[in-house]
Amino acid sequence: MQEIVTKIEQMVAPIIADLNLELVDVEYVKEGRDWFLRIYVDVPGGSIDIEQCARVSERVSEILDEKDPIKENYFLEVSSPGAERPLKKEEDYVQAVGEYVFFKTYEPIDGRKEFEGTLLSYSKDEGAVIEYKDKTRRRKVTIPRDKVALARLAIDF
């Protein structure tokens, strides 16, 4: 499936860039008996609208019909990444500094695998520094990039 995702990303990235939008993520997943190709796009600074998603869907549908990279029947969904936007690329991490985030790690760090708090800093070499609340205390943790299983913006209630 990762091979299909990579192929789709390469095919749709120029279309999305041509529309002055940002490709946030591509997913190809099976849910029940159905396959879904999900393409998440946004505008720089956020707040993509439904008309922009529709334009992306139309243009992407054309190239997918032409190139036919997926053999199974699937549903194409083009949408905003939402308020809990995933952090995938280096630029995503850098732009999220100062934001409230959720990280899940492949293995425990300081006895935990999940951290929710403020992203204080990020560098490719050091990783992400997050300040999180542990009961009544504030703690800091550094999470190396290669230990990140999932990273996304989060909503602080």
Side-chain angles (χ1 to χ4, degrees):
M1 282 193 280
Q2 184 57 42
E3 190 176 307
I4 289 173
V5 168
T6 301
K7 188 183 291 185
I8 300 298
E9 285 174 344
Q10 292 169 348
M11 288 171 54
V12 303
I15 293 167
I16 293 168
D18 187 51
L19 294 169
N20 295 317
L21 299 173
E22 174 190 2
L23 176 60
V24 175
D25 198 10
V26 174
E27 293 178 341
Y28 183 60
V29 294
K30 187 172 188 179
E31 294 178 1
R33 291 183 289 167
D34 298 320
W35 285 93
F36 292 86
L37 175 60
R38 295 190 175 113
I39 299 175
Y40 298 96
V41 293
D42 210 350
V43 295
S47 263
I48 192 165
D49 62 40
I50 191 122
E51 288 83 19
Q52 291 168 308
C53 287
R55 277 195 296 277
V56 171
S57 182
E58 289 170 13
R59 298 266 311 267
V60 166
S61 289
E62 290 172 7
I63 195 163
L64 291 174
D65 288 346
E66 178 187 322
K67 305 270 185 191
D68 199 22
I70 301 174
K71 299 306 170 210
E72 299 89 10
N73 291 329
Y74 61 92
F75 294 96
L76 173 63
E77 296 177 353
V78 176
S79 70
S80 160
E84 294 187 334
R85 175 188 174 126
L87 306 178
K88 297 279 190 167
K89 302 173 279 212
E90 297 295 320
E91 312 92 72
D92 296 339
Y93 286 88
V94 171
Q95 290 176 354
V97 170
E99 300 288 339
Y100 197 74
V101 295
F102 172 81
F103 275 61
K104 185 180 265 190
T105 60
Y106 289 114
E107 56 193 47
I109 297 174
D110 296 338
R112 300 173 65 136
K113 289 179 76 175
E114 293 184 358
F115 300 90
E116 190 167 312
T118 303
L119 181 60
L120 299 177
S121 65
Y122 175 79
S123 74
K124 192 173 185 175
D125 297 330
E126 304 271 328
V129 178
I130 298 174
E131 181 181 73
Y132 66 98
K133 193 172 181 179
D134 183 17
K135 296 182 183 166
T136 59
R137 302 179 76 187
R138 294 243 174 241
R139 298 187 186 273
K140 290 182 186 175
V141 64
T142 300
I143 303 173
R145 181 79 156 84
D146 64 345
K147 303 289 187 224
V148 176
L150 170 78
R152 62 171 169 75
L153 296 179
I155 298 172
D156 186 13
F157 291 101

